[in-house]
Amino acid sequence: MTSMVENATSYIERAEEIKLLANDAFKANKFSQAIELYGQAIELNGLNAVYWANRAFAHTKLEEYGSAIQDATKAVELDPKYSKGYYRRGAAYLAMGKFKEALKDFQQVKKICPNDPDATKKLKECEKAVQKLRFEEAIAVQESERCSVADSIDFRCIDVEPQYTGARIEGEVVTLDFVKKMMEDFRNQKCLHKRYAYQIVLQAREMLRALPPLVDVTVPNGHHFTVCGDVHGQYFDLLNIFELNGLPSEENPYLFNGDFVDRGSFSVEVILTLFAVKCMCPTAMYLSRGNHESKSMNKIYGFEGEVRSKLSEMFVELFAEVFCCLPLAHLINGKIFVVHGGLFSVDGVKLSDIRTIDRFCEPPEEGLMCELLWSDPQPQPGRGPSKRGVGLSFGPDVTKKFLEENNLDLVVRSHEVKDEGYEIEHDGKLITVFSAPNYCDQMGNKGAFIRFAAPELKPDIVSFSAVPHPDVKPMAYANNFLRLFS
């Protein structure tokens, strides 16, 4: 009997030691390592609510909000009076834009800690967000009845003041000289005149709207093509990509695979640069929609606030409209399938199914379009729930089958931070590429891009480190309550 008690005690002590190691990993921003260590502590002592809540927090840091909610729920089941469990779950709900669920959790925190000023403040912010949401829902017009804001804008009527010294578009054509001058102005933190910003965004809209949901890209023999992953408003790292790999041109084309905006605080500069290059030379710049090219994400993660601050309210509506025109995937020489998120919850999806998706809408909560933007690979076979709480996780067998059925060689996707800027998975049949180094100024990761040269189309992956940027923190324009939690 004594030895059983001693065993239990030693498990509990060992779990505590591992928890301290996990805490250290967390403080060093090594969130994956922290998750693994908290998991080991849970295996030794699964009845300690603190371990579950701590692991939930680490999941939140990796944007794995689905897993965070599961862990925090376990914490409050183990200890219904544990305020941190509700707090962690509320924060994860907030990050997913689920304000009403978040509100319930913060009300619970306030009930348990009535005198905690921090809990009071966060509850107030959450109540404000829910009220605003209810108001927006009440006045929202059905998408089918909504007039296009783009059709109501005539940029030609906007005068440019004589004292404006920034980049100018002469007439209708966006030239390389204009793009270079605009990029240099942005580097020096100068703004582009609204007239030209409207002109670029409206022209880009026309081009994107004319494209199919799945764009076929042809790379002739002896030529190359570069694929970049998430840039997330990190403008100075975007400039560095162009310095390392050359400016986009017909001879040096790029595909940016979604998540151009949000989190980083130079999203306006990033999106105007990418759109301007698209206008200058449509075959120099291909753009795919990411899960962050959507109203719900932009409201929370900074793009909407940044657009209001640097441009105007009208531009908020305009960008939302243009994002709905972005294609969902690209096919390089009929062999390489490039998409922001990943594959599907059902077998048998053909390229022809993707070609018929009606994409001109905000991303739905389920179905093919949602999965293209949100899914992630997993190492084990089959399919599993998404750690993000949206989309799903798919295994190597799912990738293999999709490639075989569509006569493809490779899936390239983005959507996840990787230490080296990329990761090769699923028996070499799937590559993740992520192009925002030192993501959010705290992850310490490298960025990467992939060059494919025809005819072989072998992936040549280049990793790069972050470069300095002006002292504007990530999420500087993000929703107020979200900043409270970061």
Side-chain angles (χ1 to χ4, degrees), residues 42 45-53 71-82 86:
I42 286 166
N45 178 14
L47 300 178
N48 188 324
V50 175
Y51 303 165
W52 293 94
D71 278 358
T73 300
K74 185 72 183 166
V76 298
E77 281 168 5
L78 287 167
D79 182 357
K81 292 205 163 20
Y82 183 44
Y86 296 104

Side-chain angles (χ1 to χ4, degrees), residues 373-395:
L373 299 182
W374 279 96
S375 295
D376 295 293
Q378 63 178 27
Q380 62 276 29
R383 294 178 170 90
S386 165
K387 53 195 175 186
R388 298 173 191 269
V390 188
L392 70 141
S393 299
F394 59 96

Side-chain angles (χ1 to χ4, degrees), residues 239-271:
L239 291 181
N240 187 38
I241 291 172
F242 293 154
E243 275 161 33
L244 294 170
N245 194 56
L247 278 176
S249 66
E250 203 158 353
E251 292 298 301
N252 188 32
Y254 283 80
L255 162 56
F256 280 84
N257 195 28
D259 284 12
F260 324 123
V261 301
D262 277 341
R263 296 208 176 259
S265 295
F266 304 94
S267 293
V268 165
E269 290 80 356
V270 167
I271 196 69

Side-chain angles (χ1 to χ4, degrees), residues 449-481:
F449 53 82
I450 311 177
R451 279 172 66 114
F452 292 98
E456 289 87 8
L457 297 181
K458 282 207 169 60
D460 174 20
I461 304 174
V462 179
S463 280
F464 57 92
S465 296
V467 294
H469 64 74
D471 188 22
V472 185
K473 298 282 177 276
M475 305 281 277
Y477 301 91
N479 204 310
N480 188 18
F481 61 76

Side-chain angles (χ1 to χ4, degrees), residues 2 92 96 110 118 132 161 173 183 192 294-295 312 323 327 376 452 470:
T2 319
M96 291 175 77
K110 179 82 173 108
D118 187 49
K132 192 168 171 238
E161 301 75 16
V173 181
M183 284 167 63
L192 179 67
S294 71
K295 266 189 195 169
S312 70
F323 288 165
D376 295 293
F452 292 98

